Amino acid sequence: MQTDSPAASGLAVRLFGPPELRRDGVPVALPPSRKARALLAYLALSSRPASRSHLCELLWDLPSDPRGELRWCLSKLRTVLDDDGRGRVVTDGEGVAVDLRDGTIDAVQVQDALRAGLATLPAERLQALAELLARGELLEGLDLPRSPAFTGWLVAERRRFRAAHAAVLEHRVRTLEVGSDAALAALERWLAVTPFDRQAHEQLLQALAARGRIREGDEHVAAAARQYEAEGQDWAPIGRAWQQAKARHAFAQVPVIQTLASPIEAAAAPAAPARRASLAVLPFSDRSPGVPLRGGLADGMAHDIITRLAKLRSMFVIAEGTMFALAERRVDSDDSGRRLDVDYVASGSLRRTPGGHLAVSVQLAETRSAQVVWGEEFSGRIDDTFAVLDEIGNRIVTAIAHQVEVAERNRAILKNPASLDAWESHHRGLWHMMRFHREDNEQARQFFRAAARLDPTFARPLAGLSFTHFQDAFLGWGDRRAAIEQAYRAAADGVMADEHDPASHWALGRAMWLRNSEDDEALRELRAAIELSPNFALGHYTLGFVHAQSGDPETAIAEADHARALSPLDPLLFGMLASRALALARLGRYDEAADWGARSAARPNAHVHIQAIAMVCVALAGRKQEAQAFATAIQRAQPGYGIDAFLQAFKFGGDAESLVRQAMRSVAA
């Protein structure tokens, strides 16, 4: 829409504070019509052309001729935006847009910065953004009480930019010297924007202590306590932070001659608690016509999602009582995230249509960057209300857990390995583990071991460690017998560390299957993982994996399909597809098996055993040329690979082994 940085020349639209238009630095009078100004702002912030019908619904509350009024507003905008044959108001049939690529829009500059990531921006760019946002609230004074659709949009946009303002100030503070005048000014502004942000309070108190301004710190804590108590919130963490900041300041002023830590030093450096990603789920809103905003299906869905996410045990989830209390006070999602000091906030809405459909929109935002990291809409028919809510709830829970994991992996990969804590080491290990290369598997193992050393109570790294040994045994990357025992021991240690963690039972089930234990023992552990967390996609997948080889092929198909529905972009998707292909082959449905096998082999991280499953399935379907192409690719990837390596990796029942041998003979013929 415009260049990346403001300029004195050209056309500049200012949306923070009262809307303004400047050409070459000189103010240009905007049309006096409030709706014309609102139209300019809406189009300036839109990433794509808006339809005329949408704009009429947005800005006019049943006028006699909304399209005529829209045309009039557009003509007024042309008089101030167009010049020298340059038409900036663009109409193409039903679509309407403003083309300001040769100008600047302050709010869009902030949007672009958020999209690029505030952590990547230099200090001077953060300062410039903070100055833009400090001009005032978005479209200050431009409320349209008789246009409810525009009012809803404006409220949401103001909330979004308020969160962006806090994020910009937070990142700017990080670039400033602790205790400097600039840092104190930025911190005070940050608290003015988000007065219940605990991190802002703590950093301000640290800055005051560093400057020796103890009386001001005491006064700030007293004021914060009154403010928090008025809202029924706990201010004790702020009080503790101030005591620690004063202790650090006092310790810094006194030479320490003893070798043991002094009481002051001990108070100043408390043991850091083990970190987990933290998440708050706001109550959903029901936007169905004629339904109250609160209660009913929407609250029930939020309750269900909070309960299920808490069962995953891979993150810290705020209890529903707190979330519903904040909703009653009309605290929005961005403010909730900062008040609760959580990493992520999930929010959503549902809508029932007269045609019997239910649509649920969900988004996941990262609190400290003000970025929406994921958003999606789920839908289903309400033939059975509870069934469709259960199905959609499953998909939402799995998607949120997956997106948090992806975000945490990406964050950990950018950090120096020497500075990682247990949580970050675990996610760095996951990043390497899911690449399915021998070298990455070894790197993953080192990160998981580091995470387990840093936090012996954290079970997930032990499950990951077990998986790396499983890979060694399954893919022939090391001594099979030793790798199997190491996989079993690491998984057992994980269960001992946290017997309620589904990943630990999943890892133990896989290790028991490798040890040639009775399948019932392995299946019992895999079912325990699902009982602990019904949305644990890898548990469902591995049940399908085991049944596809020697159990019930119909169960294998059902479990593999359920795993794919829960996690359609899973790194182990190739295994879900291959398990389905094997089960179909055992049922004699060779053409279907061939298609699913080929899909599994086409996944970018599919290993040699998956290629072999695809080869077997297409060979059974009589597609010999395709099977031979797979055989060539397998030999190129792993020279000498043959039926013995394939059969050693899996535990096929008699019928499945016969099919494998039959297929291999047909390829060799």
Coordinates of all heavy atoms in Angstrom, one line a residue, residues 156-241:
A156 N -12.4 -3.3 17.4 CA -11.5 -4.3 17.2 C -10.1 -3.8 16.7 O -9.1 -4.2 17.2 CB -12.0 -5.4 16.2
E157 N -10.1 -2.8 15.8 CA -8.9 -2.2 15.3 C -8.2 -1.4 16.4 O -7.0 -1.5 16.5 CB -9.2 -1.4 14.1 CG -9.6 -2.2 12.8 CD -8.5 -3.1 12.4 OE1 -7.4 -2.6 12.0 OE2 -8.7 -4.3 12.4
R158 N -8.9 -0.7 17.2 CA -8.3 0.1 18.3 C -7.7 -0.8 19.3 O -6.6 -0.6 19.8 CB -9.3 1.0 18.9 CG -9.7 2.2 18.1 CD -10.9 3.0 18.8 NE -11.1 4.2 18.1 CZ -12.1 5.0 18.3 NH1 -13.1 4.7 19.2 NH2 -12.3 6.2 17.6
R159 N -8.3 -1.9 19.6 CA -7.8 -2.9 20.5 C -6.5 -3.5 19.9 O -5.5 -3.7 20.6 CB -8.8 -4.0 20.8 CG -8.3 -5.0 21.8 CD -9.4 -6.1 22.0 NE -9.6 -6.9 20.9 CZ -10.7 -7.2 20.2 NH1 -11.8 -6.6 20.7 NH2 -10.8 -8.0 19.2
R160 N -6.5 -3.8 18.6 CA -5.3 -4.4 18.0 C -4.1 -3.4 18.0 O -3.0 -3.8 18.3 CB -5.7 -4.8 16.5 CG -4.6 -5.5 15.8 CD -5.2 -6.2 14.5 NE -5.6 -5.2 13.5 CZ -4.9 -4.7 12.6 NH1 -3.6 -5.2 12.4 NH2 -5.3 -3.9 11.7
F161 N -4.4 -2.2 17.7 CA -3.3 -1.2 17.7 C -2.8 -0.8 19.1 O -1.7 -0.5 19.3 CB -3.7 0.0 16.9 CG -3.6 -0.2 15.4 CD1 -4.7 -0.3 14.6 CD2 -2.3 -0.4 14.8 CE1 -4.6 -0.5 13.2 CE2 -2.2 -0.6 13.4 CZ -3.4 -0.7 12.6
R162 N -3.7 -0.9 20.1 CA -3.3 -0.7 21.5 C -2.3 -1.8 21.9 O -1.3 -1.6 22.5 CB -4.5 -0.8 22.4 CG -4.3 -0.1 23.8 CD -5.6 -0.1 24.6 NE -6.6 0.6 23.9 CZ -7.8 0.1 23.5 NH1 -8.1 -1.1 23.8 NH2 -8.7 0.8 22.9
A163 N -2.6 -3.1 21.5 CA -1.7 -4.2 21.7 C -0.4 -4.0 21.0 O 0.7 -4.3 21.5 CB -2.3 -5.5 21.3
A164 N -0.5 -3.5 19.7 CA 0.8 -3.2 19.0 C 1.6 -2.1 19.7 O 2.8 -2.2 19.7 CB 0.4 -2.8 17.6
H165 N 0.9 -1.1 20.2 CA 1.6 0.0 20.9 C 2.4 -0.6 22.1 O 3.6 -0.3 22.3 CB 0.6 1.0 21.4 CG 1.2 2.3 21.8 ND1 0.5 3.4 22.2 CD2 2.5 2.7 21.9 CE1 1.3 4.4 22.4 NE2 2.6 4.0 22.3
A166 N 1.7 -1.5 22.9 CA 2.4 -2.1 24.0 C 3.6 -2.9 23.6 O 4.7 -2.9 24.2 CB 1.4 -2.9 24.8
A167 N 3.4 -3.7 22.5 CA 4.5 -4.5 22.0 C 5.7 -3.7 21.5 O 6.9 -4.0 21.8 CB 4.0 -5.4 20.9
V168 N 5.4 -2.6 20.8 CA 6.5 -1.7 20.3 C 7.3 -1.1 21.5 O 8.5 -1.1 21.5 CB 5.9 -0.6 19.4 CG1 7.0 0.4 19.2 CG2 5.5 -1.2 18.1
L169 N 6.5 -0.7 22.5 CA 7.2 -0.1 23.7 C 8.0 -1.1 24.4 O 9.1 -0.8 24.9 CB 6.2 0.6 24.6 CG 5.5 1.8 24.1 CD1 4.3 2.2 24.9 CD2 6.5 3.0 24.1
E170 N 7.5 -2.3 24.5 CA 8.2 -3.4 25.2 C 9.6 -3.7 24.5 O 10.6 -3.8 25.1 CB 7.4 -4.6 25.3 CG 8.1 -5.8 26.0 CD 7.2 -7.0 26.2 OE1 6.0 -6.9 25.9 OE2 7.7 -8.0 26.6
H171 N 9.5 -3.8 23.2 CA 10.7 -4.1 22.4 C 11.7 -2.9 22.4 O 12.9 -3.1 22.4 CB 10.4 -4.5 21.0 CG 9.9 -5.9 20.9 ND1 8.6 -6.3 21.2 CD2 10.5 -7.0 20.5 CE1 8.4 -7.6 21.1 NE2 9.6 -8.1 20.6
R172 N 11.1 -1.7 22.5 CA 12.0 -0.5 22.5 C 12.7 -0.4 23.9 O 13.9 -0.1 23.9 CB 11.1 0.8 22.3 CG 11.9 2.1 22.6 CD 11.2 3.3 22.0 NE 11.7 4.5 22.5 CZ 12.9 5.0 22.4 NH1 13.9 4.3 21.8 NH2 13.3 6.1 23.0
V173 N 12.0 -0.8 24.9 CA 12.7 -0.8 26.3 C 13.9 -1.7 26.3 O 14.9 -1.4 26.9 CB 11.7 -1.2 27.4 CG1 12.4 -1.5 28.7 CG2 10.7 -0.1 27.6
R174 N 13.8 -2.8 25.6 CA 14.9 -3.8 25.5 C 16.2 -3.2 24.9 O 17.3 -3.7 25.1 CB 14.5 -5.0 24.8 CG 13.4 -5.8 25.5 CD 13.0 -7.0 24.6 NE 11.8 -7.7 25.2 CZ 11.1 -8.6 24.6 NH1 11.5 -9.0 23.4 NH2 10.1 -9.2 25.1
T175 N 16.0 -2.2 24.0 CA 17.1 -1.6 23.3 C 17.7 -0.4 24.1 O 18.8 0.1 23.7 CB 16.7 -1.0 21.9 OG1 15.8 0.1 22.1 CG2 16.0 -2.1 21.1
L176 N 17.2 -0.1 25.2 CA 17.6 1.1 26.0 C 18.4 0.7 27.2 O 18.2 -0.4 27.8 CB 16.4 2.0 26.4 CG 15.6 2.5 25.2 CD1 14.3 3.2 25.8 CD2 16.4 3.5 24.4
E177 N 19.3 1.5 27.7 CA 20.0 1.2 28.9 C 19.1 1.2 30.1 O 18.3 2.1 30.3 CB 21.1 2.3 29.1 CG 22.0 2.1 30.3 CD 23.0 3.2 30.5 OE1 23.1 4.0 29.6 OE2 23.7 3.2 31.5
V178 N 19.2 0.2 30.9 CA 18.4 0.1 32.1 C 18.6 1.3 33.0 O 19.7 1.7 33.4 CB 18.7 -1.2 32.9 CG1 17.9 -1.3 34.2 CG2 18.5 -2.4 32.1
G179 N 17.5 1.9 33.4 CA 17.5 3.0 34.3 C 17.8 4.4 33.6 O 17.8 5.4 34.3
S180 N 17.9 4.4 32.3 CA 18.2 5.7 31.6 C 16.9 6.4 31.6 O 15.8 5.9 31.7 CB 18.7 5.4 30.2 OG 17.7 4.7 29.4
D181 N 17.0 7.7 31.3 CA 15.8 8.6 31.2 C 14.8 8.1 30.1 O 13.6 8.0 30.3 CB 16.1 10.0 31.0 CG 16.8 10.7 32.2 OD1 16.6 10.1 33.3 OD2 17.5 11.7 32.0
A182 N 15.4 7.7 29.0 CA 14.6 7.2 27.9 C 13.9 5.9 28.2 O 12.7 5.7 27.9 CB 15.5 7.0 26.7
A183 N 14.6 5.0 29.0 CA 14.0 3.8 29.4 C 12.8 4.0 30.3 O 11.7 3.4 30.2 CB 15.0 2.8 30.0
L184 N 13.0 4.9 31.3 CA 12.0 5.2 32.3 C 10.8 5.9 31.6 O 9.6 5.5 31.9 CB 12.5 6.2 33.3 CG 13.4 5.5 34.4 CD1 14.1 6.6 35.2 CD2 12.6 4.6 35.3
A185 N 11.0 6.7 30.6 CA 9.9 7.4 29.9 C 9.1 6.3 29.1 O 7.9 6.3 29.0 CB 10.4 8.5 28.9
A186 N 9.9 5.4 28.4 CA 9.2 4.3 27.6 C 8.4 3.4 28.5 O 7.3 3.0 28.2 CB 10.2 3.6 26.8
L187 N 9.0 3.1 29.7 CA 8.2 2.2 30.6 C 7.0 2.9 31.1 O 5.9 2.2 31.3 CB 9.2 1.8 31.8 CG 10.2 0.8 31.5 CD1 11.3 0.8 32.5 CD2 9.6 -0.6 31.4
E188 N 7.0 4.1 31.4 CA 5.8 4.8 31.9 C 4.8 4.9 30.9 O 3.6 4.7 31.1 CB 6.2 6.2 32.4 CG 7.0 6.2 33.7 CD 7.6 7.6 34.1 OE1 7.5 8.5 33.2 OE2 8.2 7.7 35.2
R189 N 5.2 5.1 29.6 CA 4.3 5.1 28.5 C 3.7 3.7 28.3 O 2.5 3.6 28.0 CB 5.0 5.6 27.2 CG 4.1 5.6 26.0 CD 2.9 6.6 26.2 NE 2.0 6.6 25.1 CZ 0.7 7.0 25.2 NH1 0.3 7.5 26.3 NH2 -0.1 6.9 24.1
W190 N 4.5 2.7 28.4 CA 4.0 1.3 28.3 C 2.9 1.0 29.3 O 1.9 0.4 29.0 CB 5.3 0.4 28.5 CG 5.0 -1.1 28.4 CD1 3.9 -1.8 28.2 CD2 6.0 -2.1 28.7 NE1 4.1 -3.1 28.3 CE2 5.4 -3.4 28.6 CE3 7.4 -2.1 29.0 CZ2 6.0 -4.6 28.8 CZ3 8.0 -3.3 29.2 CH2 7.4 -4.5 29.1
L191 N 3.2 1.4 30.6 CA 2.2 1.2 31.6 C 0.9 2.0 31.4 O -0.2 1.6 31.8 CB 2.8 1.5 33.0 CG 3.6 0.4 33.6 CD1 4.3 0.8 34.8 CD2 2.7 -0.8 34.0
A192 N 1.1 3.2 30.8 CA -0.1 4.0 30.5 C -1.0 3.3 29.5 O -2.3 3.4 29.5 CB 0.3 5.4 29.9
V193 N -0.4 2.5 28.6 CA -1.1 1.8 27.5 C -1.7 0.5 28.1 O -2.9 0.1 27.8 CB -0.2 1.4 26.3 CG1 -0.9 0.6 25.3 CG2 0.3 2.7 25.7
T194 N -0.9 -0.2 28.9 CA -1.4 -1.5 29.5 C -1.1 -1.5 31.0 O -0.1 -2.0 31.5 CB -0.7 -2.7 28.9 OG1 0.7 -2.5 28.9 CG2 -1.1 -2.9 27.4
P195 N -2.0 -0.9 31.8 CA -1.7 -0.6 33.2 C -1.6 -1.9 34.1 O -1.1 -1.8 35.2 CB -2.8 0.3 33.7 CG -3.9 0.1 32.7 CD -3.2 -0.2 31.4
F196 N -2.0 -3.1 33.6 CA -2.0 -4.3 34.4 C -0.9 -5.3 33.8 O -1.0 -6.5 34.0 CB -3.3 -4.9 34.4 CG -4.3 -4.1 35.2 CD1 -5.2 -3.3 34.6 CD2 -4.4 -4.1 36.6 CE1 -6.1 -2.5 35.3 CE2 -5.3 -3.4 37.3 CZ -6.2 -2.5 36.6
D197 N 0.0 -4.8 33.0 CA 1.1 -5.6 32.5 C 2.2 -5.8 33.5 O 2.9 -4.9 33.9 CB 1.7 -5.0 31.2 CG 2.6 -5.9 30.5 OD1 3.2 -6.8 31.1 OD2 2.6 -5.8 29.2
R198 N 2.2 -7.0 34.1 CA 3.2 -7.3 35.2 C 4.6 -7.1 34.8 O 5.4 -6.5 35.6 CB 3.0 -8.7 35.7 CG 3.6 -8.9 37.1 CD 3.3 -10.3 37.7 NE 4.1 -11.3 37.1 CZ 3.7 -12.6 37.1 NH1 2.6 -13.0 37.7 NH2 4.5 -13.5 36.6
Q199 N 5.0 -7.5 33.6 CA 6.3 -7.3 33.1 C 6.7 -5.8 33.1 O 7.9 -5.4 33.4 CB 6.6 -8.0 31.8 CG 6.6 -9.5 31.9 CD 7.3 -10.1 30.7 OE1 8.0 -9.5 30.0 NE2 7.0 -11.4 30.4
A200 N 5.8 -5.0 32.7 CA 6.1 -3.5 32.6 C 6.3 -3.0 34.0 O 7.3 -2.2 34.3 CB 4.9 -2.8 32.0
H201 N 5.5 -3.4 35.0 CA 5.7 -3.0 36.4 C 7.1 -3.4 36.9 O 7.8 -2.6 37.5 CB 4.6 -3.6 37.3 CG 3.3 -2.9 37.2 ND1 3.0 -1.6 37.7 CD2 2.1 -3.3 36.6 CE1 1.8 -1.3 37.5 NE2 1.2 -2.2 36.8
E202 N 7.4 -4.7 36.6 CA 8.7 -5.2 37.1 C 9.9 -4.5 36.5 O 10.8 -4.2 37.2 CB 8.7 -6.7 36.9 CG 7.7 -7.5 37.7 CD 7.7 -9.0 37.4 OE1 8.4 -9.4 36.4 OE2 7.0 -9.8 38.0
Q203 N 9.8 -4.2 35.2 CA 10.9 -3.6 34.6 C 11.1 -2.1 35.1 O 12.2 -1.6 35.2 CB 10.8 -3.6 33.1 CG 11.0 -5.1 32.5 CD 11.1 -5.1 31.0 OE1 11.8 -4.3 30.4 NE2 10.5 -6.1 30.4
L204 N 9.9 -1.4 35.3 CA 10.0 -0.1 35.8 C 10.6 -0.1 37.2 O 11.5 0.8 37.5 CB 8.6 0.5 35.9 CG 8.5 1.9 36.5 CD1 9.3 2.9 35.7 CD2 7.1 2.4 36.6
L205 N 10.3 -1.0 38.0 CA 10.8 -1.1 39.4 C 12.3 -1.4 39.4 O 13.1 -0.9 40.1 CB 10.1 -2.2 40.2 CG 8.6 -1.8 40.5 CD1 7.9 -3.0 41.1 CD2 8.5 -0.6 41.5
Q206 N 12.7 -2.3 38.4 CA 14.1 -2.6 38.3 C 14.9 -1.3 37.9 O 16.0 -1.0 38.4 CB 14.4 -3.7 37.2 CG 13.9 -5.0 37.7 CD 13.9 -6.1 36.5 OE1 14.4 -5.8 35.5 NE2 13.2 -7.2 36.8
A207 N 14.3 -0.5 37.0 CA 14.9 0.7 36.5 C 15.0 1.7 37.7 O 16.1 2.4 37.8 CB 14.2 1.3 35.4
L208 N 14.0 1.8 38.5 CA 14.0 2.8 39.6 C 15.1 2.3 40.6 O 15.8 3.2 41.2 CB 12.6 2.8 40.3 CG 11.6 3.5 39.4 CD1 10.2 3.4 40.1 CD2 11.9 5.0 39.2
A209 N 15.2 1.0 40.9 CA 16.2 0.5 41.8 C 17.6 0.8 41.3 O 18.5 1.2 42.1 CB 15.9 -1.0 42.1
A210 N 17.8 0.6 40.0 CA 19.1 0.8 39.4 C 19.5 2.3 39.6 O 20.7 2.6 39.7 CB 19.1 0.4 38.0
R211 N 18.5 3.2 39.6 CA 18.8 4.6 39.8 C 18.8 5.0 41.2 O 19.1 6.2 41.5 CB 17.7 5.5 39.0 CG 17.8 5.3 37.5 CD 18.9 6.2 36.9 NE 18.6 7.6 37.0 CZ 17.9 8.3 36.0 NH1 17.5 7.7 34.9 NH2 17.7 9.6 36.2
G212 N 18.5 4.1 42.1 CA 18.5 4.4 43.5 C 17.3 5.2 44.0 O 17.3 5.8 45.0
R213 N 16.2 5.2 43.2 CA 15.0 6.0 43.4 C 14.1 5.1 44.2 O 13.0 4.7 43.7 CB 14.5 6.5 42.1 CG 15.4 7.5 41.5 CD 15.2 7.8 40.0 NE 13.9 8.4 39.7 CZ 13.6 8.9 38.5 NH1 14.5 8.8 37.5 NH2 12.4 9.3 38.2
I214 N 14.5 4.7 45.4 CA 13.7 3.8 46.2 C 12.4 4.3 46.7 O 11.3 3.6 46.6 CB 14.5 3.4 47.5 CG1 15.9 2.8 47.0 CG2 13.8 2.3 48.3 CD1 15.9 1.7 46.1
R215 N 12.3 5.6 47.1 CA 11.0 6.1 47.5 C 10.0 6.1 46.4 O 8.8 5.8 46.6 CB 11.2 7.6 48.0 CG 9.9 8.2 48.6 CD 10.2 9.5 49.2 NE 10.7 10.5 48.3 CZ 9.9 11.2 47.5 NH1 8.6 11.0 47.5 NH2 10.5 12.1 46.6
E216 N 10.4 6.4 45.2 CA 9.5 6.4 44.0 C 9.0 5.0 43.8 O 7.9 4.8 43.4 CB 10.2 7.0 42.8 CG 10.4 8.4 42.8 CD 11.2 8.9 41.6 OE1 10.7 8.6 40.5 OE2 12.2 9.7 41.7
G217 N 9.9 4.0 43.9 CA 9.5 2.6 43.8 C 8.5 2.2 44.8 O 7.5 1.5 44.5
D218 N 8.7 2.6 46.0 CA 7.7 2.3 47.1 C 6.4 2.9 46.7 O 5.3 2.2 46.9 CB 8.2 2.8 48.4 CG 9.4 2.0 49.0 OD1 9.6 0.9 48.6 OD2 10.1 2.6 49.8
E219 N 6.4 4.1 46.3 CA 5.1 4.8 45.9 C 4.5 4.1 44.7 O 3.2 3.9 44.7 CB 5.4 6.3 45.6 CG 5.8 7.1 46.8 CD 6.3 8.5 46.4 OE1 6.5 8.7 45.2 OE2 6.5 9.3 47.3
H220 N 5.3 3.6 43.8 CA 4.7 3.0 42.6 C 4.0 1.6 43.0 O 2.9 1.3 42.6 CB 5.8 2.7 41.6 CG 5.2 2.0 40.4 ND1 4.6 2.6 39.3 CD2 5.2 0.6 40.1 CE1 4.2 1.7 38.4 NE2 4.6 0.5 38.9
V221 N 4.7 0.9 43.9 CA 4.1 -0.4 44.4 C 2.8 -0.1 45.1 O 1.8 -0.9 44.9 CB 5.1 -1.2 45.3 CG1 4.4 -2.4 45.9 CG2 6.3 -1.6 44.4
A222 N 2.8 0.9 46.0 CA 1.6 1.2 46.7 C 0.4 1.6 45.8 O -0.7 1.1 46.0 CB 1.8 2.4 47.7
A223 N 0.7 2.4 44.8 CA -0.3 2.7 43.8 C -0.8 1.5 43.0 O -2.0 1.4 42.7 CB 0.2 3.8 42.9
A224 N 0.2 0.7 42.6 CA -0.2 -0.5 41.8 C -1.0 -1.4 42.7 O -2.0 -2.0 42.2 CB 1.1 -1.2 41.4
A225 N -0.7 -1.6 44.0 CA -1.5 -2.4 44.9 C -3.0 -1.9 44.9 O -3.9 -2.7 44.8 CB -0.9 -2.4 46.3
R226 N -3.1 -0.6 45.0 CA -4.5 -0.1 45.1 C -5.2 -0.4 43.8 O -6.4 -0.7 43.7 CB -4.5 1.4 45.4 CG -4.0 1.8 46.8 CD -4.3 3.2 47.1 NE -3.5 4.1 46.3 CZ -2.3 4.5 46.6 NH1 -1.7 4.1 47.7 NH2 -1.7 5.4 45.7
Q227 N -4.5 -0.2 42.7 CA -5.1 -0.4 41.3 C -5.5 -1.9 41.1 O -6.6 -2.1 40.7 CB -4.1 0.0 40.3 CG -4.6 0.0 38.9 CD -3.5 0.5 37.9 OE1 -2.3 0.2 38.1 NE2 -3.8 1.2 36.9
Y228 N -4.6 -2.8 41.5 CA -4.9 -4.2 41.3 C -6.0 -4.6 42.3 O -6.9 -5.4 41.9 CB -3.6 -5.0 41.6 CG -2.8 -5.2 40.4 CD1 -2.1 -4.2 39.8 CD2 -2.6 -6.5 39.8 CE1 -1.3 -4.3 38.6 CE2 -1.8 -6.7 38.7 CZ -1.2 -5.6 38.1 OH -0.4 -5.8 37.0
E229 N -6.0 -4.2 43.5 CA -7.1 -4.6 44.4 C -8.4 -4.1 44.0 O -9.4 -4.7 44.2 CB -6.7 -4.0 45.8 CG -5.6 -4.8 46.5 CD -5.2 -4.2 47.8 OE1 -5.7 -3.0 48.1 OE2 -4.4 -4.8 48.6
A230 N -8.5 -2.9 43.4 CA -9.8 -2.4 42.8 C -10.3 -3.3 41.7 O -11.5 -3.3 41.5 CB -9.6 -1.0 42.3
E231 N -9.4 -4.0 41.0 CA -9.8 -4.9 40.0 C -9.9 -6.3 40.5 O -10.2 -7.3 39.7 CB -8.8 -4.9 38.8 CG -8.9 -3.6 38.0 CD -10.0 -3.7 37.0 OE1 -10.2 -4.7 36.4 OE2 -10.7 -2.6 36.9
G232 N -9.7 -6.5 41.8 CA -9.8 -7.9 42.3 C -8.6 -8.8 41.8 O -8.8 -10.0 41.8
Q233 N -7.5 -8.2 41.5 CA -6.3 -8.9 41.0 C -5.2 -9.0 42.1 O -5.1 -8.1 42.9 CB -5.8 -8.4 39.7 CG -6.8 -8.5 38.6 CD -6.2 -8.1 37.2 OE1 -6.8 -7.3 36.5 NE2 -5.0 -8.6 36.9
D234 N -4.3 -10.0 41.9 CA -3.3 -10.2 42.9 C -2.1 -9.3 42.5 O -1.5 -9.5 41.4 CB -2.9 -11.7 42.9 CG -1.8 -12.0 43.9 OD1 -1.5 -11.2 44.8 OD2 -1.2 -13.1 43.8
W235 N -1.7 -8.4 43.4 CA -0.5 -7.6 43.2 C 0.8 -8.1 43.9 O 1.9 -7.5 43.7 CB -0.7 -6.2 43.7 CG -1.0 -6.0 45.1 CD1 -2.1 -6.2 45.8 CD2 0.0 -5.8 46.1 NE1 -1.9 -6.0 47.2 CE2 -0.6 -5.8 47.4 CE3 1.4 -5.6 46.1 CZ2 0.1 -5.6 48.6 CZ3 2.1 -5.3 47.3 CH2 1.4 -5.3 48.5
A236 N 0.7 -9.3 44.5 CA 1.8 -9.8 45.3 C 3.0 -10.0 44.4 O 4.2 -9.7 44.9 CB 1.4 -11.1 46.0
P237 N 2.9 -10.5 43.2 CA 4.1 -10.7 42.4 C 4.9 -9.4 42.1 O 6.1 -9.4 42.1 CB 3.6 -11.3 41.1 CG 2.3 -12.0 41.5 CD 1.7 -11.1 42.5
I238 N 4.2 -8.3 42.0 CA 4.8 -7.0 41.9 C 5.6 -6.6 43.1 O 6.7 -6.1 43.1 CB 3.8 -5.9 41.4 CG1 3.2 -6.3 40.1 CG2 4.4 -4.5 41.4 CD1 2.0 -5.4 39.7
G239 N 4.9 -6.8 44.3 CA 5.6 -6.6 45.5 C 6.9 -7.4 45.7 O 7.9 -6.8 46.1
R240 N 6.8 -8.7 45.3 CA 8.0 -9.5 45.5 C 9.1 -9.0 44.5 O 10.3 -9.0 44.8 CB 7.6 -11.0 45.2 CG 6.9 -11.6 46.3 CD 6.8 -13.1 46.1 NE 6.1 -13.5 44.9 CZ 4.8 -13.8 44.9 NH1 4.1 -13.7 46.0 NH2 4.2 -14.1 43.8
A241 N 8.7 -8.6 43.3 CA 9.7 -8.1 42.3 C 10.4 -6.9 42.8 O 11.6 -6.7 42.6 CB 9.0 -7.8 41.0

